[in-house]
Amino acid sequence: MHITYLSSDQTLCKLNQDASLDIYLDQIEHCRRGNIPWQRGSIPWHWHAEIEFAVASRGATEFSIAEETVVLQEGEGLFINSSQLHCIRPLRGDTSSLFTVAVNPRLLSSGFDLLSTKYVLPHIGDTAVKYAKLSPPVAWQKQALSHLDHISSVSSKPSFGFEFDMRNALCHIWLLLLQNVFNASSPAPRSGADDDLRIKRALAFIHEHYADDISLSDISNAINLSKSECCRSFQRVLRTTPVDLLITYRLERAAALLSDTGLPVSTIATMSGFNSLSYFSKLFRERIGCSPREYRCSPK
């Protein structure tokens, strides 16, 4: 087992790789730069084979999981099943910190043994259980949160054999989910499976080509749909349009470049897929709340 510590910018690219038996630990911070909201704590729409656990250690954080939205208040946690479309963003104006653990399901058992075939594989990626919120007032959920807190403590000061300790905690959490969530769920209808696959393919195309001059036609062609059906799929699952999601992703990439580099704003606009500096500046102000230069110069 390998433990990897990530920043929020690294999370998406790392989890989209085919990793071995890894645990990914991510501390997502969100604050304000003076009067300007700092957007770097957001993670755009994505999915990964790992199961994911998150705990709001400070402030409130909003998760969108396909068509549903969950807000974690401080001290609450969340389980997200494998291969579920989701994005993460702090509530606007809030200062928040989020501890996340993304785990390869193979850590819960070994290969195709009895534990795997009976208790793990039937539930990985189950669309009937896309997520489960964890709140301290509920006894079993409080236990799960305690195990996640233990993982956080162990990972911050690893000692000899700490991997066994973390794996045991994860197995305890999985048993709690089996007893209280998976066994209580009904089989999910398959009606949304096509939409889910379409959105994943479209997002992969956008993430790869956002810097290019792409349009709704390009996105819909990439997933072999008409423009109207592509838009309907996005509305059903993500409650937005393909073009709006493309713009949002481009602005997020631009904000990261403004924070991390000294590149001219015009260069960043082009690298982020905007052909017009004035249009880029207009959208940035409308959605972020300040100009690109103000965002770059604001106190950190």
Side-chain angles (χ1 to χ4, degrees), residues 130-204:
K130 296 180 179 179
Y131 69 91
K133 189 174 181 179
L134 306 172
S135 299
V138 182
W140 75 266
Q141 296 176 18
K142 184 177 182 179
Q143 291 180 52
L145 288 167
S146 177
H147 288 306
L148 287 170
D149 183 61
H150 182 67
I151 290 171
S152 176
S153 298
V154 170
S155 66
S156 64
K157 295 181 180 179
S159 58
F160 179 78
F162 76 101
E163 295 93 342
F164 285 110
D165 203 356
M166 294 179 70
R167 185 173 186 259
N168 287 340
L170 288 165
C171 288
H172 280 299
I173 297 171
W174 190 252
L175 179 58
L176 289 168
L177 289 170
L178 286 172
Q179 293 169 333
N180 296 279
V181 179
F182 289 113
N183 284 348
S185 66
S186 302
R190 297 294 299 168
S191 58
D194 288 343
D195 277 340
D196 190 70
L197 181 59
R198 291 167 176 174
I199 296 301
K200 287 177 179 177
R201 289 168 57 200
L203 287 175

Side-chain angles (χ1 to χ4, degrees), residues 93-152:
D94 201 7
T95 298
S96 60
S97 178
L98 188 71
F99 172 74
T100 68
V101 186
V103 184
N104 190 307
R106 286 180 291 172
L107 277 175
L108 301 173
S109 62
S110 54
F112 290 90
D113 59 10
L114 174 64
L115 291 178
S116 180
T117 56
K118 185 175 181 179
Y119 297 113
V120 179
L121 291 178
H123 305 294
I124 295 299
D126 182 2
T127 54
V129 182
K130 296 180 179 179
Y131 69 91
K133 189 174 181 179
L134 306 172
S135 299
V138 182
W140 75 266
Q141 296 176 18
K142 184 177 182 179
Q143 291 180 52
L145 288 167
S146 177
H147 288 306
L148 287 170
D149 183 61
H150 182 67
I151 290 171
S152 176

